[in-house]
Amino acid sequence: MIWFYLLSGLFLGWSLGANDAANVFGTAVGSKMVRFKVAALVASVFVILGAVISGAGAAHTLGKLGAVNAIAGSFTVALAAAATVAWMTKLSLPVSTSQAIVGAIIGWNLFTGSPTDLNSLGKILSTWVISPILAAVFSILLYKLFKFFLGRARIHLLELDAYTRAGLILVGAFGSYSLGANNIANVMGVFVPASPFKDLNILNVIHFTGVQQLFLLGGLAIAVGIYTYSYRVMTTVGNEVFKLTPVMALIVVLSESLVLFLFASQSLERWLIAHNLPPIPLVPVSSSQAVIGAVIGIGIAKGGKGINFNILGKIASGWISTPIAAAILSFVLLFFMQNVFEREVVRPVTYEISQDVLNKLAAENIPVRNLQSLNGKQFKNMYKFRESLQQREALNESQLYKIFELAEVDSFYIDSTLASTELDAEMFSPEQIEAVKKLHGRLFIHKWQLDDALAQLSPAWRLKPNTIRNKFFNKNILKKRQILYQVFKKRHL
């Protein structure tokens, strides 16, 4: 059955290949500098490499946006996103799978009553505005630089043509790798918890994880999409917004690749933090918006006379309508999947309002006076839990998200033997492991209770004030907490 559910992810991968992958080589193909067959081959190979080697990237941010926890729900969310992208591709509009999957996940949140993390959503939406502007700025600066250099260098036209073709392929390969690394999570990320693949050890030399095998499958689907349906979108990007010369095409692809790199580079983030500069958020970036921004930048640098504003308006309407259409389609499909086909689209999660939870909420400055009547009550349905909360207190989406997070019932039993055998001594400090062992025999029903207990025992488990300088320290602590949840989760109550 899992293989049937994976079909929607493969469909979404095909849609990504047909639409987003065209952004990397669209200008090169549109300007006739690179043949479509060469572009498709290079893009396919490097998209697959990026997906398999560095594909974990954006899954964390999307996971915080909405925790789709049932395989039939994952299938439906991916299907809604894929159908939306395929529809936009049919209209020759360069939209983004990131936009579609974000809309589809929000559709799942609305259907199930799960609150949306507005902080994560705000980060993602901000990149949809910033990335095309940034690409346009890069494009203008690079155009001025190239114009200055080529105006003084005496390069024969044939040599310039050869250099430009080689540059387009090299930069396109880099852009394809970045696209695979950043966007494969959109395609297969929702299926990771239900991956049918087991880790492989090939001659004790190559370790091929189940997730990497899943991403390889998604990468192959993207490659099929590139070969079968990407040509139309490439010509839209390369020809219809603004007529590009070969050198301009190179500038556009380089500008787009730089934007993808900026929003994906942990090394750059560390450098900015080390110099007390605000880091660039590591979130999924739409390559479609970046490449269109870069093309517009060239048009502005040339005086703006050649920009086709009719096509530009059509593309912008696609950017706005894609997440909305995906959210509506996801909601409708989830209704049919649950009520007509009787499939579980959301796994039951238990929430409990106890006095401990109320005290914790009050400490977070969330109004709880009218929630006292729920003290001691449990809910197994997200929608009914949300409804009960809103009937008693006027809560915004961020406050609801926090209540869902703190009231979720889980179970963690601390066994010091597991602490010795399962916690990697190279990752956890001796002080951290010792603090975990001191909790031997304790049972915690909320994650935050385990976090608080460890923070009281050892400063090595305490989060520091939320400043730029402390960002990596806190990120490391949160990562270790996730490992503790997996190791000590009690599965048989």
Side-chain angles (χ1 to χ4, degrees):
M1 196 64 181
I2 179 66
W3 289 101
F4 171 78
Y5 285 131
L6 284 176
L7 288 177
S8 66
L10 298 179
F11 181 27
L12 183 57
W14 176 87
S15 299
L16 187 147
N19 197 304
D20 289 38
N23 300 324
V24 179
F25 277 106
T27 50
V29 173
S31 60
K32 311 293 184 187
M33 287 297 288
V34 178
R35 288 187 297 132
F36 173 73
K37 287 183 179 179
V38 175
L41 176 62
V42 175
S44 298
V45 169
F46 282 90
V47 159
I48 292 172
L49 288 175
V52 175
I53 297 172
S54 309
H60 179 67
T61 305
L62 288 179
K64 288 184 69 177
L65 187 64
V68 183
N69 61 3
I71 186 66
S74 303
F75 167 83
T76 310
V77 166
L79 180 62
T84 305
V85 174
W87 176 38
M88 294 296 171
T89 304
K90 184 74 177 174
L91 299 175
S92 298
L93 294 178
V95 296
S96 164
T97 54
S98 298
Q99 294 171 319
I101 198 71
V102 165
I105 289 174
I106 290 175
W108 184 88
N109 287 349
L110 293 173
F111 183 79
T112 60
S114 177
T116 300
D117 182 4
L118 295 182
N119 184 42
S120 296
L121 181 61
K123 283 184 181 178
I124 294 171
L125 293 180
S126 67
T127 66
W128 294 359
V129 176
I130 294 171
S131 62
I133 295 174
L134 197 57
V137 171
F138 281 146
S139 189
I140 292 171
L141 294 176
L142 286 171
Y143 176 79
K144 300 290 185 185
L145 184 65
F146 271 65
K147 188 177 180 182
F148 175 82
F149 175 75
L150 293 177
R152 284 157 178 75
R154 294 182 178 179
I155 302 176
H156 192 277
L157 283 178
L158 291 178
E159 287 182 329
L160 178 61
D161 184 80
Y163 292 151
T164 306
R165 289 176 192 273
L168 282 168
I169 292 175
L170 287 174
V171 176
F174 172 63
S176 299
Y177 184 92
S178 300
L179 181 69
N182 288 326
N183 279 208
I184 191 65
N186 297 340
V187 175
M188 304 303 281
V190 290
F191 296 100
V192 169
S195 172
F197 303 109
K198 295 180 179 179
D199 292 2
L200 293 177
N201 243 328
I202 303 173
L203 302 174
N204 289 325
V205 176
I206 301 174
H207 185 66
F208 203 29
T209 68
V211 173
Q212 286 177 313
Q213 295 169 56
L214 188 67
F215 285 179
L216 172 61
L217 198 61
L220 291 171
I222 295 172
V224 173
I226 293 172
Y227 270 102
T228 57
Y229 213 82
S230 66
Y231 183 75
R232 290 183 62 187
V233 183
M234 283 190 184
T235 55
T236 298
V237 172
N239 287 328
E240 296 185 20
V241 175
F242 187 86
K243 296 294 183 185
L244 296 172
T245 66
V247 174
M248 290 179 192
L250 176 62
I251 292 171
V252 165
V253 178
L254 184 56
S255 300
E256 178 210 3
S257 299
L258 285 172
V259 170
L260 290 174
F261 173 78
L262 287 177
F263 283 94
S265 174
Q266 291 186 331
S267 300
L268 178 63
E269 183 187 44
R270 292 192 190 96
W271 185 88
L272 291 171
I273 291 173
H275 291 79
N276 291 324
L277 295 171
I280 296 172
L282 303 181
V283 295
V285 174
S286 167
S287 59
S288 304
Q289 292 170 317
V291 76
I292 292 297
V295 173
I296 293 172
I298 289 286
I300 293 172
K302 294 279 290 179
K305 294 181 180 178
I307 298 176
N308 189 332
F309 287 100
N310 289 330
I311 291 293
L312 197 59
K314 189 179 173 184
I315 291 172
S317 68
W319 291 352
I320 295 171
S321 59
T322 295
I324 296 173
I328 294 172
L329 185 59
S330 176
F331 190 96
V332 172
L333 291 179
L334 286 166
F335 176 84
F336 278 96
M337 182 64 79
Q338 177 175 278
N339 298 292
V340 178
F341 299 104
E342 298 182 341
R343 310 308 301 178
E344 184 184 66
V345 298
V346 54
R347 182 174 54 81
V349 177
T350 302
Y351 299 94
E352 179 180 324
I353 297 293
S354 63
Q355 192 55 52
D356 285 344
V357 171
L358 289 170
N359 293 339
K360 186 70 175 176
L361 291 171
E364 299 278 346
N365 295 320
I366 294 176
V368 297
R369 189 181 60 173
N370 295 326
L371 300 183
Q372 292 290 342
S373 60
L374 296 177
N375 192 353
K377 290 188 177 180
Q378 284 194 346
F379 298 84
K380 294 184 181 297
N381 182 296
M382 291 183 188
Y383 195 86
K384 289 183 178 178
F385 183 44
R386 181 189 185 104
E387 193 176 55
S388 296
L389 292 170
Q390 290 182 314
Q391 284 174 349
R392 288 165 177 77
E393 195 74 70
L395 299 163
N396 60 39
E397 194 71 10
S398 296
Q399 291 170 328
L400 282 168
Y401 184 84
K402 198 67 183 178
I403 294 174
F404 269 70
E405 185 180 62
L406 297 179
E408 182 178 341
V409 174
D410 216 316
S411 179
F412 305 101
Y413 178 77
I414 307 303
D415 183 338
S416 59
T417 305
L418 283 178
S420 300
T421 57
E422 299 295 325
L423 300 184
D424 187 347
E426 293 185 1
M427 181 175 188
F428 294 85
S429 69
E431 188 179 0
Q432 287 175 324
I433 294 176
E434 192 58 33
V436 174
K437 288 181 178 178
K438 287 180 180 176
L439 295 177
H440 177 73
R442 295 272 302 273
L443 180 67
F444 300 93
I445 63 170
H446 299 294
K447 290 177 180 174
W448 61 266
Q449 289 178 326
L450 174 57
D451 300 339
D452 287 356
L454 287 171
Q456 288 177 358
L457 283 172
S458 169
W461 280 110
R462 292 173 197 159
L463 294 174
K464 293 183 177 179
N466 189 21
T467 63
I468 293 175
R469 185 171 288 278
N470 295 330
K471 184 178 175 68
F472 275 111
F473 177 87
N474 290 342
K475 195 174 180 179
N476 195 31
I477 292 291
L478 294 174
K479 183 179 178 182
K480 290 178 180 178
R481 284 179 178 178
Q482 291 299 322
I483 294 173
L484 293 187
Y485 301 152
Q486 293 173 10
V487 171
F488 297 108
K489 188 177 181 68
K490 190 173 175 61
R491 304 182 190 282
H492 304 289
L493 283 177

